[in-house]
Amino acid sequence: RWLGVSPPNGTAVLTLIQPKRDSAESKLIGRATRVVFVTEDVAGKFRDWSERGVRFRHAPRLRRVKYHNGVVETPIWGEIFTRFEDIDRNSFSLVSFDAVTAGIEAQRRAHAEKLEAERRIAYELDIARQVQSRLFPQQFPLCNSLAYAGICSQARQVGGDYYDFLSLGQERIGLVVGDIAGKGIAAALLMANLQAHLRSQCAITLDQPEKLLRAVNQLFYDNTIPSAYATLFFGEYDGNLQRLRYVNCGHLSGLLVRADRSVERLESTGTVLGLFTQWDCSIEECQLLKGDVLALYTDGVTESFNEAGDEFGEEGLLESLKRHLEFPPSDMVNAILADVRHFAAKEQHDDITVMIAKCDV
């Protein structure tokens, strides 16, 4: 026969088994069990359990200090103790809360504090994620000859990728994709810094992209640590002229897929932002015709890799672009993101940002 006893919260089960007569186990009945119950108040437990019929061998008393070869042997359990028996005269100990159990309690408290700290960090990261999500475009300037969309999938709750659509007036919009060096909270703070500088300066230097970016570089340089920098693609699209003027600040080449499926790369025209106080760039321009598609992206797209270690690469991006050329930009960015995730099915290691602009006139 056996009996299982469990506390209400189900954290443990104590199984009591009746052994066969004359077995080795049956010979243990009536001996010390080496089971020790630990309490902060031995005297209180002694009174309470005695009233319930528990048979104690003696009242609580101080444990004797033992000497061995002149050295004091510290007792493993508490100094105050007593013993009690069950109906089979098996012996159990009831001891005071001592240094050993105090250490266990300290570990429990440390674990609880760690869990609370992790909960607090998770809460603060969630707030940061919500705040950063508001830094991405909330409004989309109207442009009659250009449809556009963007998407950012962050590897962590917050990240350093940045994209934006800026209203420049008179059928002109700014197309911006940036990538901050680093990841996590630090990159997110720098991303917010860059976005604030870009938007504030954009209102001042609407017609001079090179002057705008020189000012942004200086502000970013002055307000960040020396090792902080960002790559940035800034495009100014004029809907009246269907012309794109752009500055590529050390960013990955923009891909312009023409309606006939030929590809032009909008390569770097300047170095990264934030590393140098003496900074300049050149402006390039191209004409967009009906059916042309501009793709801007970060390295989280091309450097995503599969289980074999192969990268998605520019080739994979171009293949995805051409396969979805007939999609509207909002569907195209989602389709490209799905292709990247399918290719790199395991953990996402970097932020993934894609912007698509399609000339439809």
Side-chain angles (χ1 to χ4, degrees), residues 82-145:
T82 184
R83 290 190 176 90
F84 62 94
E85 299 174 345
D86 64 12
I87 59 174
D88 293 317
R89 301 190 67 83
N90 297 306
S91 175
F92 302 85
S93 297
L94 178 66
V95 303
S96 63
F97 194 88
D98 63 357
V100 174
T101 50
I104 295 173
E105 176 64 14
Q107 289 183 1
R108 186 199 64 78
R109 286 197 302 268
H111 181 64
E113 290 170 1
K114 180 183 177 182
L115 290 178
E116 174 60 21
E118 290 174 350
R119 185 203 64 78
R120 187 167 57 251
I121 291 170
Y123 174 77
E124 291 173 355
L125 278 173
D126 186 59
I127 295 297
R129 180 190 58 78
Q130 294 178 44
V131 170
Q132 188 176 44
S133 69
R134 300 294 298 177
L135 299 180
F136 291 114
Q138 304 299 310
Q139 298 179 346
F140 299 83
L142 181 63
C143 184
N144 293 324
S145 63

Side-chain angles (χ1 to χ4, degrees), residues 193-261:
N193 185 286
L194 178 63
Q195 187 240 35
H197 294 327
L198 191 62
R199 288 192 175 184
S200 65
Q201 294 302 308
C202 188
I204 301 171
T205 54
L206 286 176
D207 300 315
Q208 299 174 290
E210 68 279 18
K211 185 176 180 180
L212 161 67
L213 292 170
R214 279 197 294 267
V216 169
N217 175 76
Q218 191 62 51
L219 288 167
F220 198 57
Y221 179 87
D222 291 341
N223 293 302
T224 57
I225 60 175
S227 60
Y229 68 91
T231 66
L232 185 82
F233 188 103
F234 178 87
E236 176 209 67
Y237 178 77
D238 188 325
N240 294 318
L241 302 175
Q242 291 186 222
R243 179 195 67 189
L244 177 72
R245 295 197 301 165
Y246 67 90
V247 177
N248 185 337
C249 307
H251 198 72
L252 297 170
S253 298
L255 299 177
L256 181 56
V257 182
R258 297 293 187 178
D260 63 2
R261 293 180 173 259

